[in-house]
């Protein structure tokens, strides 16, 4: 359960940082990399941040850097190539993009995932609609419960 709340806290800090720096870069485009770096190092000293940051403006990368550790036990540092399990943080962005595609009439909410993914298994794919996915009601098991993090998240899989 502790791991679940730690991840939620991390994601909250991440979103706050993301929006803070997106807003700050509009106000202070020069030297934003140094300000972000100083701020994140302060958070690291307080044991409140571990992750990787990418800040770009107009296609130009301003800051791309890993902070703290990807694996504390093994002393593995975060790098720009570190892969993170994002979980629910992407849901609102995915939903917005899907609704934009619906508005452009490229996707229909009532169609099934088998309509869009022809090689997906038909037994379930023909019953799950895009609307089910958006409302989190397709019946697909959750891989983000506290029990999953504690019991299964460290198991290696291909």
């Amino acid at each position: 359960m502790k791991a679940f709340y730690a991840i939620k806290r991390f994601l909250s800090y991440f979103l706050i940082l993301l929006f803070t720096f997106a807003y700050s870069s509009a106000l202070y485009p020069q030297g934003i990399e140094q300000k972000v770096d100083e701020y994140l190092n302060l958070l690291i000293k307080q044991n409140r941040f571990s992750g990787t940051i990418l800040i770009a403006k107009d296609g130009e990368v301003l800051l791309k850097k890993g902070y703290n550790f990807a694996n504390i036990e093994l002393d593995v540092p975060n790098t720009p190539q570190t892969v993170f399990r994002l979980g629910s943080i992407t849901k609102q962005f995915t939903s917005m993009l899907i609704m934009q595609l619906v508005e452009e009439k490229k996707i229909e909410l009532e169609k099934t995932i088998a309509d869009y993914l022809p090689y997906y298994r038909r037994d379930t794919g023909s019953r799950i609609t895009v609307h089910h996915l958006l409302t989190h009601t397709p019946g697909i098991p959750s891989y983000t419960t506290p029990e999953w993090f504690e019991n299964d998240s460290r198991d290696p899989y291909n």
Side-chain angles (χ1 to χ4, degrees):
M1 196 65 150
K2 279 184 179 180
F4 177 73
Y5 290 113
I7 289 169
K8 283 184 79 170
R9 187 173 47 244
F10 165 77
L11 293 176
S12 296
Y13 285 129
F14 177 79
L15 282 176
I16 290 167
L17 282 170
L18 179 68
F19 291 113
T20 300
F21 294 124
Y23 178 73
S24 296
S25 67
L27 294 176
Y28 308 105
Q30 301 301 325
I32 188 69
E33 319 83 51
Q34 183 179 349
K35 292 178 191 303
V36 170
D37 196 53
E38 289 171 6
Y39 181 68
L40 291 176
N41 283 314
L42 177 65
L43 288 179
I44 289 166
K45 285 179 186 172
Q46 298 171 1
N47 203 26
R48 295 176 61 197
F49 182 75
S50 181
T52 298
I53 296 292
L54 171 67
I55 299 177
K57 183 175 182 191
D58 299 324
E60 178 188 345
V61 174
L62 302 176
L63 178 65
K64 182 178 179 181
K65 185 176 175 184
Y67 294 87
N68 223 339
F69 292 98
N71 186 315
I72 295 170
E73 296 93 348
L74 300 177
D75 259 359
V76 177
N78 277 315
T79 70
Q81 291 74 35
T82 301
V83 176
F84 296 94
R85 290 189 174 119
L86 294 180
S88 296
I89 196 169
T90 62
K91 286 179 183 175
Q92 61 269 28
F93 302 109
T94 303
S95 297
M96 179 191 66
L97 292 171
I98 288 174
M99 293 309 295
Q100 286 176 339
L101 291 171
V102 168
E103 188 176 63
E104 294 170 8
K105 302 202 183 312
K106 293 180 179 177
I107 290 181
E108 294 179 35
L109 292 176
E110 295 74 30
K111 286 207 171 186
T112 68
I113 60 175
D115 293 327
Y116 297 105
L117 304 170
Y119 298 106
Y120 193 86
R121 51 188 278 197
R122 291 272 171 205
D123 59 333
T124 55
S126 61
R127 295 188 320 227
I128 299 172
T129 65
V130 173
H131 182 263
H132 286 130
L133 295 175
L134 284 173
T135 58
H136 313 294
T137 58
I140 298 172
S142 174
Y143 295 101
T144 58
T145 62
E147 295 80 22
W148 181 83
F149 278 108
E150 290 174 13
N151 302 326
D152 302 314
S153 67
R154 291 182 177 232
D155 293 343
Y157 295 101
N158 294 345

